Amino acid sequence: MSAPVARLEDRWATLRELTAARIALGRCGASLPTGETLAFELAHAQARDAVLIPIDVEALKTDLEGSGWHTLRVCSRASSQQAYLARPDWGRRLRAEDAAELLAEKGQYDVAFVVSDGLSARAVQEHAAALLAAIAPLLRDLAIAPVVIATRARVALADEVGEALGARIAVSLIGERPGLSSPDSLGIYLTYDPKRGRNDGERNCISNVRPAGLPVAEAAAQLATMIRAALHAKLSGIGLHAERQPALAESASP
């Protein structure tokens, strides 16, 4: 007697275990099953919340300072979340008073970390402090500026922050635009010689830092290697080939 043929839905179930993409959802008549409809609505609500719910700055400040970081707080020129979403250009510039305060902290720093809410405050709240705690021992020999917490901020705001602080490198840790399966994704953007007017081709990116994507410890190791590569090559962006630079273990101080 021949073996029974596997049911079609069982084959799909195996494939669904390999991806968060919405595949093989099934149907009920001409519509999706109730369970899948509710799951979609939940994912959509989580994505909206990631964008609209503000970051808890005090909680983040407590987490960072508990790990030994000195923090500063700034805001972009967007006066509200609605203005921030409607005018991305406002999110790329510091308020004048914040820019002046950063100039008072100017020094000779190798790296300035800017923790920004971006488009997912949840991602920053859940992963930024852990990532900075993981990378701190990997950069013991470098001069690190106070960590800047930026609200209603876009990626390019870190360039102005880095310039004001006198840092050789600016690193933006920012909440990425949420998808329907990734409302908690943290992005990392690195710019060598940060200044206003830098473009995307002059930055390097590590994306999808979260438990279901790139683990924090691995992201920290990649970022530390990239920082040392940028310092060695004196550039960032499309001209930087981190894989050609000395390995982290060879570059780090004992």
Side-chain angles (χ1 to χ4, degrees):
M1 183 175 180
S2 61
V5 177
R7 296 172 60 190
L8 180 59
E9 57 265 32
D10 289 339
R11 298 195 195 107
W12 279 113
T14 299
L15 291 175
R16 291 186 69 178
E17 292 176 357
L18 304 176
T19 178
R22 283 178 161 74
I23 61 172
L25 302 182
R27 66 181 183 180
C28 183
S31 304
L32 289 173
T34 300
E36 293 297 341
T37 300
L38 294 175
F40 177 86
E41 291 178 354
L42 173 61
H44 187 262
Q46 289 175 329
R48 284 179 57 86
D49 286 348
V51 173
L52 297 176
I53 293 179
I55 190 170
D56 186 339
V57 174
E58 290 305 315
L60 178 59
K61 183 174 182 288
T62 298
D63 289 343
L64 291 170
E65 293 182 351
S67 297
W69 297 99
H70 172 48
T71 62
L72 303 171
R73 181 177 177 179
V74 301
C75 185
S76 75
R77 296 189 178 184
S79 59
S80 67
Q81 190 69 3
Q82 289 71 27
Y84 169 71
L85 295 174
R87 290 289 303 268
D89 56 319
W90 288 349
R92 299 186 184 107
R93 293 296 313 278
L94 285 168
R95 293 184 302 191
E97 57 269 34
D98 290 340
E101 289 185 13
L102 289 180
L103 285 172
E105 297 283 341
K106 190 168 185 176
Q108 294 182 334
Y109 300 114
D110 292 311
V111 185
F113 290 105
V114 183
V115 180
S116 305
D117 47 8
L119 293 174
S120 175
R122 174 181 169 181
V124 174
Q125 207 86 55
E126 294 182 2
H127 311 314
L131 192 146
L132 285 171
I135 201 171
L138 305 178
L139 303 177
R140 285 190 300 264
D141 57 316
L142 300 183
I144 309 298
V147 174
V148 176
I149 301 173
T151 51
R152 297 194 287 273
R154 302 281 176 172
V155 171
L157 188 84
D159 296 339
E160 187 174 1
V161 171
E163 182 179 19
L165 289 174
R168 298 170 67 192
I169 287 177
V171 176
S172 174
L173 309 181
I174 191 167
E176 294 184 319
R177 187 184 308 275
L180 289 177
S181 61
S182 56
D184 61 336
S185 182
L186 183 73
I188 304 170
Y189 294 83
L190 178 151
T191 309
Y192 183 83
D193 189 20
K195 61 184 67 175
R196 285 166 45 195
R198 289 295 192 198
N199 60 52
D200 289 341
E202 296 171 301
R203 301 188 186 96
N204 295 90
C205 175
I206 300 172
S207 65
N208 197 33
V209 180
R210 61 192 183 101
L214 181 66
V216 164
E218 187 174 341
Q222 288 187 20
L223 177 58
T225 299
M226 187 180 293
I227 287 171
R228 294 187 183 280
L231 291 172
H232 178 85
K234 295 183 173 57
L235 57 82
S236 59
I238 58 176
L240 179 65
H241 302 285
E243 70 277 9
R244 297 181 184 176
Q245 303 302 327
L248 176 63
E250 297 171 354
S251 300
S253 63

